């Protein structure tokens, strides 16, 4: 779908003489020097080069000449920096520009071949040289012209790679169509094959692009026909071509290596034929036009364009011209036909060796032309929805058009074909927004055609204008190529031509009138590569080859006013203009370089773009990563426009994967379609999510709900977007939505897709934004219920009967499903219309499981409805009829109890069972215990004393069984079972409640005493010493036991008080003082132990932090034995190692292994992490967890010391009154000193950790730990006034 478009031209005069013979051109890609060689009228070969004149680098200066009438080859040798010229007489001559600049002789004769040189070709790497001598020998030489091999090439041998036929695919076995079986029996006599009358009888040589093979074509004397022979790099014959009648001299091997091209003259046509490397034919195509002679064929550098140099009759005179052909989908298109004005001939041509679409021409009047082409899609620039989306493809004199809005016709076919009067050079669409007019430029005229709207019908000619005649006034530019035609209004066109006198481009404004063109010319500041016109914004801009962009405005006198508006860093062969910003009021110039850099103004958008297109307010471009990227131009200003990097988000609307090598043809404005062309030429139309969502949002904004719904349905867009785009708008216009989307099936589809999810956050985020930066809309958690209720209310008003299915859908889709309301609606409908109820029930069964509906109907205690559900669900009658029959035999409440029990509605069941009568009370007790429904039963029997007591007794036993003794005691008290309540309270340790119940039971002193000692033992086991002391004093009357309990609980003062209060001063000596000494000793030992631990751990911590970390600690992969001999593993080895923890699978095998063993790895990693946590908790010496363990241990030590302050203060205050002053002073000073040490270490201990990195951390986690080391929080030190100042 792309055509060759002429971007730039530059011409320079080499000689003023007329040249008749063939001339040659060679280029130096490093210095961009162009060399030309031609034979003058005096049979002198003259060699000229540019870049020699200081004031005019484009001017050519003669650097040497030599005698000779025919040039065989002219090649620039990059390694030697010389030009190698070969003559027909056998001379090999080198010309050096460097020697010429030094004032020395530029020409050097290397040697001569006595037999003459009839063909010559350097290998692509210029290491080898192949010569065809006059005595039919092949000479292969090195770059230094040393002979490698020499042999005759007209031999009978077919070569090493000759193929032997075993009969498969013979002509006799083929189908010959209408020719019949006789054609299969005909034998072709190859001995009658001869040469073409146009054959120049000269040999040809051509190398394959990789330099591995070369091909030689020459007339074989033994066959009197031309034969093609293929040799390898060593000069060994590989294959000989199959016999071809009237094969001609033209020869060129495609650089990509798959085809060898030549020509064949047949009586009724002239073909370009192709051979494979094995010498077999491989297709052909026919040249168009009258009789013509093929001079040469040449492939460009990237094998995309075949140049055919021909001589044909034009206007009654033979003229040498150039045709450019390209192939897509096995069809050959003629993209350009270079016909020089004033009957000039092309006498020299060569493709540039680096820039594939740059050509160099030599004309018969002594001019050198440098022409630059590019591939471009001819289509209208209109972004209006009225644009029919026509794309024009040039094929010789035919213009192939297809309106992609209405159809996608696979090339080489098209929906419409226009035939111009001559071969087409350029195409321009009209300035109308619908793009239904097209202007065709040929070498002589501009023709205009009216296109049918939908591509069906004829395209009548609406205007025809001759190009301006060449006069003395305009000769300097009018004789050159017309290029970059833009149709800017109904009567005006703008194009560009090169002015030879001014050596710059001329902007021509052409006014169309009366089949003639009146032009006004405006010289430009430099060479122009692009002229662009935007139909919608009326922007007319020109871009220079230096990347500068100018706006062009025409005044009333048709004078062009140019203003520079932008500067690209490099020349962009493809440009466009658009409006950018929230208000779409900023003009932006979009440019794409041939090195894949996409710019918007000066801002680089992408460095991997291959093509782009504008659709409304979207910019879409394809990338070298085989994806399409979408940029919304109305989202922000020019300076803020950007795209996120490629991500794996499946819902990213800014990116879509494409087939490898796909390029954009166009994006239709009316439909959300993007047309792509694959490398082989076929087309593919896709609907990108960005375009579809933009269309849907625009439709919703205009309240076109039906159009938005259909777009969602067609493109598989989640229907939740209809609500999520603007919930308030949707609810406000819910009636409009239902009236537009009135089909019941469509409404059901919409309702069935509803979810409590904001799809604008989870799926369809604008501009590829991340979900983390977005918040869901308010009320999304109840979205389904909100929408269902709103829809249901409208449907009820519009007609319940018609929308019954949709109303049922609103109930079923509610969250949770309101199936009971749906079944109630079906029950009401059944009373009035049984048939409609059955149909509605069938639909409801489709929405949810039949068993669920059966249970709901049964739970409504509606047997007719239950029976109808069972029948419609085709349930087995043997399963439900006996059960329903059994239920009908029960009385009402017992029947409902059975139904609720069957449906596992246990609370309802026990309530109905309680209403069934007291005769079922025993069954109720069993049911209550079975399903743990004690609270429900107690509530139901709150007013029935006898049954309530029975339930409480059973409940109390249940609480005892699960060791809930306190609650069991309360339940027993409520039931009046005080004995059981006492036992439960005793087991729970509730001594106040236990003694209260004991007194209610009338316990005597002995029984109270026994109960008291039982509770004392229990409380002492639970370390509740003060409560045990209260029981011993109040109920056991044992003061000694009470004091002992207080001393064990460190209640020193209370023990002393109780001893004196109870007149037991003897206990001071026997219990209190010994207890104090024992408490002092234990406290002193604890302090010593804590001090020892602190000294050891603080010393070890200092050692760890001052020592240099091991390499393995700095990098978990360092010194890892599992990485040794890693090169010994094969590419398909898949194993878990420490290496694979820090790398992601890049190969196919690794990916497969990763996916198939993912769960096993997860389990293994989980086990390793749990083991690591155990190691972390142990803090073994020498491990990476030791530092963290020590810091945590010191933290706990400080927290323990803080909690000991009050206890130590109480001990000191108890020791001093009993004259243990020294002991009290010693322990107070020791603890105070230790506590100050702990306070002083806070700032040095609690610093960022250096070693606490997980062994099984990922590389990212390791880097995170390195950059943000873990810090253990300091403990909170609480200071209390615990010290005794007396000491």
């Amino acid at each position: 779908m792309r055509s060759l478009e002429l971007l730039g031209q530059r011409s320079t005069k080499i000689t003023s003489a007329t040249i008749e013979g063939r001339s040659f051109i060679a280029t130096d890609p490093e210095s961009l020097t162009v060399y030309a060689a031609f034979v003058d009228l005096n049979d002198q070969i003259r060699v000229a080069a540019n870049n020699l004149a200081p004031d005019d680098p484009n001017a050519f200066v003669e650097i040497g000449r030599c005698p000779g009438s025919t040039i065989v080859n002219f090649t620039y040798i990059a390694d030697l920096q010389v030009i190698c010229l070969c003559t027909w007489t056998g001379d090999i001559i080198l010309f050096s520009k460097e020697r010429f600049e030094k004032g020395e002789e530029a020409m050097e004769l290397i040697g001569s071949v006595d037999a003459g040189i009839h063909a010559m070709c350097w290998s692509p790497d210029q290491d080898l040289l192949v010569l065809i001598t006059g005595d039919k020998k092949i000479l292969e030489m090195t770059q230094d012209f040393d002979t490698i091999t020499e042999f005759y090439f007209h031999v009978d041998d077919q070569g090493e790679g000759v193929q032997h036929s075993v009969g498969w695919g013979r002509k006799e076995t083929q189908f010959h169509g209408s020719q019949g079986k006789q054609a299969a029996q005909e034998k072709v006599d190859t001995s009658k094959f001869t040469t073409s009358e146009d054959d120049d009888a000269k040999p040809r040589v051509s190398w394959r692009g990789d330099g591995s093979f070369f091909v030689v074509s020459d007339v074989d004397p033994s066959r009197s026909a031309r034969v093609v022979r293929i040799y390898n790099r060593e000069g060994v014959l590989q294959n000989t071509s199959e016999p071809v009648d009237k094969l001609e001299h033209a020869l060129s091997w495609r650089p990509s290596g798959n085809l060898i091209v030549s020509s064949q003259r047949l009586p009724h046509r002239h073909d370009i034929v192709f051979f494979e490397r094995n010498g077999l034919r491989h297709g052909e195509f026919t040249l168009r036009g009258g009789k013509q002679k093929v001079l040469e064929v040449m492939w460009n550098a990237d094998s995309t364009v075949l140049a055919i140099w021909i001589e044909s009759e034009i206007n009654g005179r033979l003229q040498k011209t150039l045709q450019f052909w390209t192939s897509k989908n096995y069809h050959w298109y003629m993209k350009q036909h270079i016909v020089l004005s004033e009957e000039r001939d092309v006498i020299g041509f060569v493709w540039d060796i680096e820039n594939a679409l740059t050509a160099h021409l030599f004309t018969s009047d002594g001019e050198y032309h440098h022409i630059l082409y590019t591939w471009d899609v001819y289509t209208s620039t209109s972004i209006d929805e009225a644009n029919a989306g026509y794309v024009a493809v040039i094929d010789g004199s035919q213009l192939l058009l297809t309106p992609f809005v209405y159809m996608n016709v696979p090339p080489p076919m098209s929906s419409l074909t226009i035939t111009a009067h001559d071969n087409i050079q350029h195409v321009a669409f009209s300035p109308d927004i619908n793009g239904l007019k097209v202007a065709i430029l040929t070498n002589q005229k501009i023709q205009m055609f009216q296109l049918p709207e939908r591509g069906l019908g004829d395209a009548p000619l609406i205007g025809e204008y001759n190009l301006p005649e060449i006069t003395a006034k305009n000769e300097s530019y009018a004789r050159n190529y017309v290029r970059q035609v833009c149709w800017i209004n109904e009567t005006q066109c703008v194009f560009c031509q090169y002015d030879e006198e001014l050596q710059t481009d001329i902007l021509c404004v052409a006014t169309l009138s009366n089949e003639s063109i009146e032009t006004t010319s405006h010289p430009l500041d430099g060479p122009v590569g692009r002229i662009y016109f935007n139909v919608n914004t009326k922007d007319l801009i020109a871009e220079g080859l230096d990347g500068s962009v100018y706006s062009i405005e025409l005044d009333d006198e048709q004078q062009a006013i140019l203003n520079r508006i932008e500067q690209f860093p490099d020349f962009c062969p493809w440009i466009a203009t658009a409006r950018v910003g929230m208000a779409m009021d900023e003009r932006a110039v979009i440019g794409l370089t041939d090195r894949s850099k996409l710019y918007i103004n000066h801002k680089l958008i992408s460095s991997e773009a291959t093509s782009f297109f504008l659709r409304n307010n979207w910019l879409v471009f394809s990338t070298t990563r085989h994806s399409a990227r979408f940029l919304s131009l109305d989202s922000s200003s020019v300076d803020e426009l950007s795209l996120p990097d490629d991500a794996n988000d499946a819902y990213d609307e800014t990116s879509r994967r494409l087939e490898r090598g796909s390029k954009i043809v166009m994006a239709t404005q009316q439909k959300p379609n993007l047309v792509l062309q694959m490398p082989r030429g076929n087309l593919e139309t896709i609907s990108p999510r960005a375009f579809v969502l933009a269309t849907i949002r625009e439709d919703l904004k205009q309240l076109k709900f039906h159009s938005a719904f259909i777009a969602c349905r067609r493109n598989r867009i989640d229907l939740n977007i209809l609500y999520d785009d603007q919930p308030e708008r949707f609810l406000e216009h819910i009636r409009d939505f239902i009236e537009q989307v009135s089909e019941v099936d469509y409404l059901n589809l919409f309702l069935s897709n509803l979810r409590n999810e904001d799809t604008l956050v989870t799926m369809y985020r604008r501009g590829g934004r991340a979900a983390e930066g977005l918040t869901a809309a308010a009320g999304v958690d109840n979205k389904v219920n909100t929408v269902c209720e709103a829809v249901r209310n409208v449907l009820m008003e519009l007609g319940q009967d018609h929308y019954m299915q949709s109303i049922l859908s609103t109930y079923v889709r509610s969250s949770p499903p309101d199936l009971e309301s749906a079944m109630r609606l079906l029950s009401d409908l059944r009373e009035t219309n049984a048939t409609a109820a059955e149909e509605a029930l069938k639909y409801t069964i489709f929405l949810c499981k039949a068993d669920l509906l059966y249970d709901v109907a049964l739970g409504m205690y509606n047997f007719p409805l239950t029976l109808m559900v069972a029948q419609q669900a085709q349930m087995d009658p043997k399963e439900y009829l006996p059960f329903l029959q059994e239920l009908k035999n029960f009385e009402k409440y017992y029947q409902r109890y059975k139904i609720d029990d069957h449906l596992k509605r246990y609370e309802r069941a026990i309530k109905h069972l309680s209403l069934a009568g007291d005769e079922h009370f025993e069954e109720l007790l069993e049911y209550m215990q079975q399903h743990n429904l004690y609270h429900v039963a107690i509530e139901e029997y709150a007013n029935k004393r006898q049954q309530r007591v029975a339930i409480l007794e059973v409940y109390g036993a249940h609480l005892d069984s699960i060791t809930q003794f306190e609650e069991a005691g309360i339940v027993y008290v409520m039931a009046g079972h005080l004995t059981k309540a006492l036992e439960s309270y005793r087991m729970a340790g509730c001594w106040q409640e236990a003694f209260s119940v004991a007194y209610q039971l009338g316990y005597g002193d002995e029984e109270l005493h026994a109960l008291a000692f039982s509770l004392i033992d229990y409380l002492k086991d639970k370390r509740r010493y003060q409560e045990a002391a209260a029981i011993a004093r109040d109920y056991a009357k044992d003061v000694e036991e009470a004091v002992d309990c207080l001393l064990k609980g460190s209640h020193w003062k209370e023990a002393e008080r109780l001893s004196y209060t109870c007149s037991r001063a003897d206990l001071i000596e026997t219990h209190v003082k010994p207890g104090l000494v024992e408490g002092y000793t234990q406290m002193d030992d604890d302090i010593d132990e804590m001090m020892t631990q602190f000294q050891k751990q603080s010393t070890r911590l200092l050692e760890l932090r001052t020592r240099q970390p091991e390499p393995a600690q700095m990098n978990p992969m360092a010194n890892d034995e599992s990485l040794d001999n890693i090169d010994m593993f094969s590419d398909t080895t898949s194993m878990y190692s420490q290496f694979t923890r820090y790398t992601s699978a890049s190969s196919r095998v690794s990916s497969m292994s990763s996916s198939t063993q993912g769960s096993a790895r997860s389990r293994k990693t989980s086990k390793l992490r749990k083991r690591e946590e155990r190691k972390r908790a142990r803090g073994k010496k020498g491990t990476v967890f030791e530092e963290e363990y020590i810091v945590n241990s010191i933290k706990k030590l400080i927290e323990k010391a803080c909690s000991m302050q009050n206890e130590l203060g109480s001990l000191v205050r108890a020791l001093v009154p009993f004259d243990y002053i020294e002991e009290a002073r010693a322990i107070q000073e020791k603890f105070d000193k230790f506590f100050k040490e702990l306070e002083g270490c806070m700032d040095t201990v609690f610093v960022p950790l250096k070693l606490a990195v997980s062994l099984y951390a990922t590389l990212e986690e390791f880097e995170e730990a390195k950059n943000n080391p873990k810090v253990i929080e300091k403990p909170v030190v609480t200071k209390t006034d615990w010290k005794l100042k007396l000491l």
Side-chain angles (χ1 to χ4, degrees), residues 281-416:
R281 283 282 299 275
H282 187 88
E284 68 281 322
F285 69 88
T286 302
L287 295 176
R288 301 168 191 171
K291 184 178 180 180
Q292 46 200 355
K293 177 181 178 181
V294 176
L295 302 177
E296 296 292 345
V297 292
M298 283 164 279
W299 289 101
N300 71 333
D302 63 359
S303 304
T304 56
V305 183
L306 176 63
I308 304 177
W309 188 8
I310 64 173
E311 184 179 43
S312 60
E313 186 175 343
I314 299 177
N315 297 328
R317 176 189 176 276
L318 291 178
Q319 187 174 357
K320 296 175 182 178
T321 60
L322 274 174
Q323 293 181 354
F324 293 157
W325 293 74
T326 185
S327 175
K328 289 290 183 183
N329 268 17
Y330 305 101
H331 176 78
W332 284 88
Y333 299 84
M334 187 201 296
K335 293 298 185 181
Q336 285 285 325
H337 188 190
I338 299 179
V339 180
L340 299 178
S341 60
E342 298 179 329
E343 300 181 348
R344 293 174 295 166
D345 290 332
V346 177
I347 61 171
F349 171 80
V350 68
W351 288 107
D352 194 88
I353 60 177
E354 286 196 347
N355 300 316
L357 295 179
T358 299
H360 306 274
L361 270 68
F362 204 144
T363 67
S364 58
D365 62 344
E367 283 187 349
Y368 159 76
H369 288 198
H370 176 278
I371 51 179
L372 173 64
Y373 287 94
T374 190
W375 293 109
D376 202 4
V377 177
Y378 290 127
T379 185
S380 173
T381 60
S382 171
I383 60 173
D384 194 273
E385 290 188 0
N387 187 359
Y390 270 102
V391 172
V393 179
I394 295 176
D395 187 11
S397 62
Q398 292 184 334
L399 188 67
L400 313 179
L401 296 114
T402 298
F404 282 96
V405 169
Y406 304 105
M407 63 184 75
N408 185 343
V409 180
M413 297 182 291
S414 62
S415 64
L416 182 66

Side-chain angles (χ1 to χ4, degrees), residues 1084 1087-1088 1091 1226-1234:
D1084 190 57
I1087 295 173
D1088 289 340
M1091 293 176 65
I1227 197 169
Q1228 178 174 298
E1229 290 178 353
K1230 180 188 290 187
F1231 184 77
D1232 185 46
K1233 179 181 179 182
F1234 174 58

